[in-house]
């Protein structure tokens, strides 16, 4: 009920803004993107298709759903210029679809429906983004992203103050029932969840949003507002008590700033190892071992978490050996592990291991799409960082290019210890930035 009331309030606000913009003869189309972005964490959807047999699904779950993305695409259909609609314009969209088809015919895929869930989720979001691109220009799209993220960040900050600062625990279950448990990490320690179901997801969202607002600030796009959001985002992040996110936050923002100031330099040159990498490493060592936060990093449940990750690594390696070339299918690794329970039992009988996805997005891809897909994934990350850095050096598409560099670094680093980057409430943020960054890069290249 809380989610529906919130969506109703957002709809009312956006409609009021629409009326006002119409009254003063200003464009309102950016409100579409703003509304979509605000709704991503809510995970509002209706299950319409499920498998005939019980399946687990991977990071995206086991159901095909009518979601905000699908509803918005249908509503935008009448406004689309179909002559300019190029759904498969981006080559990487081809690659993902081809890899999905391979996953569907892969004999090691024991839950092809789980792969269909992924394929549907991916295609409906790409269709929506292309629809946005079709009916809006670049400035409207960026304005919509800015508008949606700034509202989301303010809401997350307010909720983070309510819990854990004022211990108003009721705010944790307004949007997700399971968030009340996630907010205490099963009784281990409190942490802000905002509109998400776990502090880790909120922390990752803050990393993504802060990469964008850092880019906005450096590129003098709504600089005062961007700096303000960076300040409150830092407070929100602290209140998540996500140790991994703290380290990634410092590293990512430092690298974003350095790349912006030195776009033509090779980040991994011998000179930059001493100017950038070693200073960052020194800061992180100080934070972990010598700062007032060292007890937080070293004297809590860090050993248990490290042990859990090692178990996941072992299970991933064993699953990878079963199908090293093509993997076990997109969004299907949990189903594969369920059908090969000995891989889990040989490591541990801990239910946390069997009931959750592998806590490493890179290993998830290695298991699900094999060595071929994993190599394509690494190439995709490096290629987009390289191309974005080139765009910065040539003064093209600077705002989105710098944002994408930060977001790729954030999800790559954070994804080493968690699966949140591939969750339903986070993956759309990654997809929308990647899609429009490449779309505008190609536009400026022509």
């Amino acid at each position: 009920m809380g989610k529906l009331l919130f969506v109703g309030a957002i709809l009312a606000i956006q409609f009021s803004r629409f009326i006002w913009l119409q009254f003063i003869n200003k464009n309102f189309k950016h409100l579409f993107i703003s509304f979509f972005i605000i709704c991503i964490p809510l995970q509002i959807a209706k299950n319409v298709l499920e498998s005939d047999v019980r399946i687990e699904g991977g990071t995206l779950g086991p159901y095909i759903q009518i979601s905000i993305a699908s509803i918005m695409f249908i509503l935008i259909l009448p406004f689309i210029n179909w002559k300019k609609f190029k759904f498969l314009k981006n080559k990487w969209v081809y690659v993902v679809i081809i890899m999905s088809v391979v996953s569907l015919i892969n004999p090691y895929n024991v839950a092809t429906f789980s792969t269909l869930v992924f394929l549907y989720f991916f295609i409906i979001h790409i269709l929506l983004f292309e629809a946005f691109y079709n009916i809006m220009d670049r400035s409207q799209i960026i304005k919509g992203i800015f508008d949606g993220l700034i509202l989301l960040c303010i809401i997350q900050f307010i909720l983070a103050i309510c819990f854990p600062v004022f211990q108003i625990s009721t705010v944790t279950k307004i949007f997700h029932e399971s968030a009340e448990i996630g907010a205490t990490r099963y009784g281990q320690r409190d942490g802000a969840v905002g509109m998400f179901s776990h502090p880790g997801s909120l922390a990752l969202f803050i990393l993504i949003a802060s990469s964008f607002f850092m880019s906005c600030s450096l590129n003098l796009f709504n600089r005062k507002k961007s700096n303000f959001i960076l300040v409150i985002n830092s407070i929100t992040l602290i209140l998540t008590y996500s140790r991994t996110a703290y380290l990634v936050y410092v590293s990512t923002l430092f690298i974003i700033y350095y790349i912006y100031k030195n776009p033509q330099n090779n980040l991994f040159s011998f000179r930059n190892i001493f100017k950038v990498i070693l200073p960052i490493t020194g800061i992180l060592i100080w934070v972990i071992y010598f700062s007032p936060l060292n007890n937080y990093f070293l004297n809590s449940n860090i050993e248990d978490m490290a042990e859990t990750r090692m178990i996941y690594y072992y299970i991933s390696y064993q699953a990878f050996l079963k199908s090293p070339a093509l993997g076990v299918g997109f969004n299907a690794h949990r189903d594969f592990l369920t059908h090969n329970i000995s891989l889990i039992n040989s490591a541990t009988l801990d239910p946390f291991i069997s009931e959750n996805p592998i806590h490493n997005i890179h290993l998830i891809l290695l298991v699900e799409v094999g060595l071929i897909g994993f190599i394509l994934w690494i190439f995709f990350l490096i290629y987009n960082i390289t191309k974005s850095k080139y765009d910065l050096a040539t003064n093209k598409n600077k705002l989105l290019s710098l944002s994408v560099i930060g977001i790729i670094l954030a999800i790559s680093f954070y994804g080493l210890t968690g699966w949140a980057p591939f969750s339903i409430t986070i993956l759309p943020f990654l997809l929308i930035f990647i899609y429009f960054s490449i779309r505008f890069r190609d536009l400026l290249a022509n």
Side-chain angles (χ1 to χ4, degrees):
M1 180 61 70
K3 288 196 289 188
L4 294 178
L5 290 174
F6 181 81
V7 171
I10 293 298
L11 277 171
I13 292 171
Q14 297 294 67
F15 184 72
S16 300
R17 297 174 70 190
F18 162 75
I19 296 297
W20 172 249
L21 290 173
Q22 285 282 80
F23 179 73
I24 61 176
N25 293 319
K26 286 193 175 182
N27 198 295
F28 61 86
K29 292 180 181 177
H30 68 280
L31 297 178
F32 288 121
I33 294 184
S34 175
F35 177 76
F36 169 72
I37 284 179
I38 293 170
C39 289
I40 291 175
L42 298 176
Q43 199 178 333
I44 294 177
K46 173 68 175 177
N47 298 337
V48 291
L49 285 176
E50 58 183 292
S51 176
D52 294 335
V53 296
R54 185 179 182 276
I55 59 174
E56 301 291 335
T59 59
L60 296 178
Y63 305 107
I64 290 178
Q65 303 173 320
I66 294 178
S67 62
I68 293 293
S70 54
I71 293 173
M72 290 193 69
F73 176 68
I74 293 171
L75 293 176
I76 293 174
L77 283 177
F79 306 99
I80 292 175
N81 182 347
W82 292 102
K83 292 182 179 180
K84 297 181 179 180
F85 193 84
K86 298 179 180 179
F87 165 52
L88 296 175
K89 176 65 176 178
N90 292 342
K91 294 178 181 178
W92 65 276
V93 174
Y94 276 109
V95 174
V96 174
I97 292 176
I98 291 171
M99 291 298 296
S100 298
V101 173
V102 172
S103 288
L104 289 172
I105 62 176
N106 183 349
Y108 286 95
N109 189 343
V110 298
T112 54
F113 191 84
S114 291
T115 300
L116 287 174
V117 171
F118 164 79
L119 186 58
Y120 169 79
F121 180 90
F122 177 77
I123 289 177
I124 198 63
H125 280 85
I126 298 303
L127 285 172
L128 177 63
F129 301 155
E130 181 60 24
F132 286 152
Y133 181 86
N134 188 272
I135 67 173
M136 303 180 208
D137 60 29
R138 181 176 177 273
S139 63
Q140 291 170 335
I141 289 172
I142 292 176
K143 185 178 181 180
I145 293 174
F146 186 93
D147 188 82
L149 286 180
I150 200 170
L151 289 173
L152 264 187
C153 289
I154 292 172
I155 293 169
Q156 310 308 323
F157 174 73
I158 294 171
L159 292 173
I161 295 298
C162 290
F163 186 89
V165 175
F166 293 127
Q167 290 295 306
I168 306 174
S169 60
T170 52
V171 302
T172 63
K173 54 185 179 182
I174 293 175
F175 305 104
H176 304 281
E177 286 294 331
S178 62
E180 187 174 23
I181 298 175
T184 62
R185 288 182 171 87
Y186 301 93
Q188 294 179 356
R189 65 184 189 277
D190 292 343
V193 292
M195 293 167 61
F196 297 86
S197 60
H198 191 275
S201 297
L202 173 57
L204 183 54
F205 164 76
I206 293 299
L207 294 175
I208 292 171
S210 295
S211 296
F212 173 70
F213 287 114
M214 181 74 165
S215 177
C216 290
S217 177
L218 292 173
N219 285 284
L220 306 180
F221 181 81
N222 288 324
R223 189 170 192 176
K224 290 184 178 180
K225 291 181 180 178
S226 298
N227 288 338
F228 170 74
I229 295 299
L230 284 171
V231 171
I232 67 171
N233 275 1
S234 299
I235 298 172
T236 302
L237 183 69
I238 291 172
L239 294 175
T240 66
Y241 298 105
S242 174
R243 293 167 293 208
T244 302
Y246 293 169
L247 304 182
V248 175
Y249 188 73
V250 173
S251 303
T252 301
L253 295 191
F254 190 98
I255 293 174
I256 288 174
Y257 180 80
Y258 180 83
I259 289 178
Y260 177 79
K261 291 295 185 180
N262 305 274
Q264 296 177 332
N265 293 347
N266 179 6
L267 181 62
F268 298 102
S269 66
F270 185 77
R271 177 169 173 253
N272 285 342
I273 289 176
F274 288 94
K275 289 187 63 177
V276 181
I277 298 176
L278 287 182
I280 291 177
T281 303
I283 291 172
L284 297 182
I285 290 175
W286 179 80
V287 170
I288 295 171
Y289 290 100
F290 303 107
S291 76
L293 293 173
N294 73 323
N295 287 334
Y296 177 66
F297 281 97
L298 301 178
N299 294 336
S300 58
N301 66 332
I302 191 70
E303 292 185 3
D304 293 336
M305 293 180 63
E307 182 182 356
T308 300
R309 267 59 177 185
M310 292 303 296
I311 293 172
Y312 274 124
Y313 299 161
Y314 173 79
I315 293 172
S316 302
Y317 174 70
Q318 294 297 322
F320 167 72
L321 292 179
K322 295 289 184 178
S323 179
L326 299 177
V328 300
F330 269 126
N331 196 44
H333 80 272
R334 290 184 64 203
D335 298 290
F336 180 82
L337 294 177
T338 301
H339 282 73
N340 295 268
I341 196 67
S342 60
L343 296 178
I344 298 177
N345 290 343
S346 63
T348 179
L349 293 176
D350 186 347
F352 180 86
I353 301 294
S354 60
E355 294 172 3
N356 287 277
I358 294 170
H359 277 48
N360 185 312
I361 61 169
H362 310 290
L363 291 182
I364 286 175
L365 283 175
L366 182 63
V367 172
E368 291 190 345
V369 290
L371 195 58
I372 295 174
F374 180 76
I375 291 173
L376 290 172
W377 166 246
I378 298 301
F379 174 79
F380 172 80
L381 297 178
I382 295 175
Y383 178 80
N384 276 284
I385 289 177
T386 303
K387 291 293 290 184
S388 296
K389 193 167 175 295
Y390 174 79
D391 287 346
L392 286 171
T394 54
N395 291 311
K396 295 187 300 185
N397 197 27
K398 293 178 66 175
L399 196 155
L400 284 182
S401 294
L402 191 60
S403 299
V404 163
I405 290 174
I407 290 168
I408 288 178
L409 290 173
I411 66 108
S412 297
F413 294 153
Y414 189 90
L416 290 170
T417 61
W419 60 274
F422 289 167
S423 65
I424 292 177
T425 55
I426 293 294
L427 185 55
F429 290 112
L430 173 61
L431 291 177
I432 196 170
F433 275 103
I434 291 290
Y435 189 83
F436 286 124
S437 173
I438 295 176
R439 208 67 172 89
F440 293 133
R441 179 192 305 156
D442 293 341
L443 176 66
L444 295 172
N446 294 329

